[in-house]
Amino acid sequence: MSSGEEKPLWNMFDDVKTISTSPEVLMAEINSAITSLEYTRSTAFLQSRSASVSKNINSNGKLTSQYDARMADEAYKEGLASMAAGKLDEAVNSLNVALSKCPPDKTSAVAKIQSLISLTSQQLHKSSN
């Protein structure tokens, strides 16, 4: 760089690859990022707790994990049925239950549920306006 050339200025948009043109798309991306961050923090918090605190005892006296793939699947199906029936608030509630019961190692299922929560929340927000 010669003395006659100026040093390029830093721009806050240097690392931004694309900016959504639609406010709805931008809000959906923000909601999805927030949901992902909240899920990650919640999972880390729950995993940091001791095994005795993070486990529950069922009616048979056996320890069971806080995650239950069967319950998550049932709540997911209830959420889809509620979406199909136009009951968006019930769908969001069911999908949140599905997310809370879904084992964190099922990353594709977690991502799918998070995506549906975001989509349903958007539709719910649009219908309330």
Side-chain angles (χ1 to χ4, degrees):
M1 199 180 249
S2 69
S3 61
E5 294 179 29
E6 290 186 28
K7 186 177 180 181
L9 296 174
W10 175 81
N11 185 341
M12 68 180 175
F13 296 108
D14 285 345
D15 293 330
V16 176
K17 304 298 181 211
T18 61
I19 298 177
S20 302
T21 57
S22 159
E24 291 82 15
V25 172
L26 181 60
M27 288 307 296
E29 291 173 359
I30 290 170
N31 285 338
S32 178
I34 289 170
T35 302
S36 178
L37 179 64
E38 288 174 346
Y39 180 80
T40 302
R41 286 182 176 171
S42 297
T43 302
F45 174 74
L46 292 172
Q47 290 175 347
S48 69
R49 298 173 81 187
S50 69
S52 63
V53 174
S54 67
K55 301 263 183 176
N56 297 324
I57 298 177
N58 67 13
S59 60
N60 297 336
K62 295 181 182 177
L63 288 177
T64 59
S65 173
Q66 65 187 357
Y67 303 111
D68 187 341
R70 185 187 53 76
M71 285 180 64
D73 189 48
E74 289 173 8
Y76 173 77
K77 289 176 183 176
E78 287 176 16
L80 291 180
S82 295
M83 283 177 68
K87 300 175 182 176
L88 300 178
D89 52 342
E90 290 179 22
V92 170
N93 290 337
S94 294
L95 291 171
N96 279 322
V97 169
L99 184 60
S100 71
K101 291 297 180 184
C102 188
D105 61 328
K106 306 289 186 188
T107 54
S108 62
V110 168
K112 183 190 289 187
I113 294 169
Q114 288 175 333
S115 174
L116 281 173
I117 290 171
S118 177
L119 176 67
T120 307
S121 296
Q122 288 173 11
Q123 291 175 349
L124 185 61
H125 179 70
K126 286 180 183 178
S127 68
S128 67
N129 287 338

